[in-house]
Amino acid sequence: MTPTLPSTSTLPSLGLGTFPFSGVFTPLDQQAASDVLRAFVEAGGWYIETAPVYAPNGINFEQLIKSVGRERLFLATKCVTGRDATGATVRSGKSHHLREQCHSELKRLGVNHLDLLQLHTVPEDASAEESFGTLQELKAEGLVRNVGASNVSLAQLKAFQAVGPVDFVQNRFSFIYQAQHREIEGFCLENGTLLNPYQVIERGLLTDNPRQAFRDGDLRNNKYEYSGDVYAYIRSWVLSDLKPIADTHGVSVTRLALGWAVHQPAVGVIPVGATSTQQVRVNMAASTVPLPSDVIAEMESAFERLEGAVRDRVGLSVDEYRGL
């Protein structure tokens, strides 16, 4: 039996995001990826997320899944954006393309059904009726157990919901990036949709020791929010304002970031990437108990101070300052 979905009344689970397996941060081979997945499962994890557009990096996912057992995993993947036979990126929400991607993912993962298939982005070449309707058909056919949408606005979510139930919604969402949060949260609570947010620890920024620089080839070198004075300023705030809160309460900054996300009522699963077994252990331990409300209040006060300081400094919100 595949692990059972959580309800919004239970403590959110920590999932394993496999985007880092594509080598975008740290080089990773099959053995290292296998070690990470095994450590995750042994720590009680069960939700694993991937996507066809992630660079393969020589990682065989069918072997990874077999190494721990299909029955122990809830497998989530995406569609719309993928790769053709030449490796070129293909983006389409047409019904035939989504069906092809679904079957391709079943083959790539070596399974007979997907536990969750999400639109990776809102397609520009197909209506909600065609794209999300195709996911509903795949669900009815038993190839997919749950369906969802990612990187969506509230209006787009409502359009998908008019076609059929949205089981999951996945938007970028963290303690320092809450764009659209309340309205999306309201939709989720009203419709029984689970939020599985990504970049909750902001690719390592919301940790005790945010990196000062990134290795050659690291994806973050090409992102404005991780560059120059912008990254240095936010990193400095993490160390000067957020870390003291963590130290006072005897926890890590990672624990604060994940604990804040756990505290949000619509969150069901929090996929977090990892490239080492140590990262897995830290992440899993950090998400097991919700933070007390007074700690949440301290965090939010610290963020308000950051918002004020950034506005005084450059006349922008934190999101605008980071180029988001």
Side-chain angles (χ1 to χ4, degrees):
M1 290 288 292
T2 303
T4 305
L5 271 173
S7 73
T8 52
S9 63
T10 62
L11 188 66
S13 298
L14 192 78
L16 179 65
T18 65
F19 181 48
F21 285 13
S22 58
V24 290
F25 306 123
T26 300
L28 213 68
D29 60 16
Q30 185 76 23
Q31 184 60 56
S34 180
D35 291 344
V36 166
L37 178 58
R38 184 168 296 279
F40 171 70
V41 172
E42 289 175 351
W46 47 269
Y47 177 104
I48 179 172
E49 186 171 288
T50 183
V53 75
Y54 296 168
N57 196 35
I59 304 296
N60 185 311
F61 271 80
E62 182 176 2
Q63 289 181 9
L64 285 182
I65 292 165
K66 286 181 178 178
S67 72
V68 297
R70 168 67 177 98
E71 71 283 355
R72 302 178 72 179
L73 298 174
F74 183 98
L75 296 175
T77 188
K78 303 179 180 76
C79 59
V80 176
T81 305
R83 299 182 187 277
D84 64 16
T86 69
T89 299
V90 178
R91 187 174 289 108
S92 175
K94 295 292 186 182
S95 181
H96 71 276
H97 178 72
L98 299 186
R99 284 185 169 276
E100 288 172 359
Q101 282 198 318
C102 177
H103 285 282
S104 178
E105 284 297 273
L106 290 170
K107 181 178 179 180
R108 181 174 76 94
L109 301 175
V111 298
N112 59 17
H113 76 274
L114 302 170
D115 295 303
L116 171 60
L117 182 61
Q118 303 175 105
L119 300 176
H120 204 157
T121 186
V122 177
E124 297 180 355
D125 65 341
S127 65
E129 288 77 9
E130 179 174 8
S131 59
F132 204 64
T134 299
L135 265 58
Q136 297 291 344
E137 291 170 3
L138 292 168
K139 183 177 179 180
E141 293 163 17
L143 295 176
V144 175
R145 299 290 171 81
N146 298 274
V147 296
S150 182
N151 300 305
V152 290
S153 67
L154 179 61
Q156 291 164 338
L157 266 179
K158 289 180 176 179
F160 291 140
Q161 183 71 21
V163 176
V166 181
D167 300 312
F168 278 85
V169 58
Q170 183 170 57
N171 280 3
R172 181 176 175 178
F173 175 49
S174 76
F175 169 57
I176 63 171
Y177 183 69
Q178 302 179 38
Q180 300 180 318
H181 166 54
R182 297 304 172 196
E183 60 182 19
I184 295 294
E185 178 184 87
F187 172 93
C188 290
L189 295 174
E190 181 179 342
N191 293 283
T193 300
L194 291 174
L195 181 64
N196 53 336
Y198 68 91
Q199 279 185 237
V200 169
I201 61 172
E202 293 286 342
R203 292 178 171 166
L205 175 59
L206 296 183
T207 59
D208 286 81
N209 297 293
R211 294 190 179 184
Q212 296 187 49
F214 307 106
R215 71 171 183 86
D216 289 344
D218 190 303
L219 173 74
R220 289 167 289 193
N221 284 321
N222 301 319
K223 301 290 184 180
Y224 179 78
E225 64 194 280
Y226 296 100
S227 64
D229 291 341
V230 171
Y231 178 70
Y233 190 78
I234 304 299
R235 177 180 175 274
S236 176
W237 169 81
V238 170
L239 297 175
S240 65
D241 283 49
L242 210 53
K243 193 173 188 309
I245 297 174
D247 291 344
T248 296
H249 295 280
V251 298
S252 66
V253 173
T254 302
R255 170 86 172 82
L256 293 184
L258 291 175
W260 180 87
V262 165
H263 182 78
Q264 308 309 306
V267 173
V269 183
I270 305 169
V272 180
T275 56
S276 71
T277 56
Q278 174 62 19
Q279 286 179 346
V280 170
R281 285 189 286 269
V282 169
N283 293 343
M284 293 296 284
S287 63
T288 55
V289 181
L291 290 174
S293 57
D294 60 327
V295 179
I296 297 289
E298 288 181 55
M299 294 174 63
E300 291 176 346
S301 292
F303 186 66
E304 288 176 6
R305 291 195 298 273
L306 175 64
E307 283 275 23
V310 170
R311 286 201 180 277
D312 289 344
R313 188 170 189 251
V314 293
L316 300 171
S317 69
V318 171
D319 290 349
E320 292 168 335
Y321 180 55
R322 299 177 68 207
L324 302 176

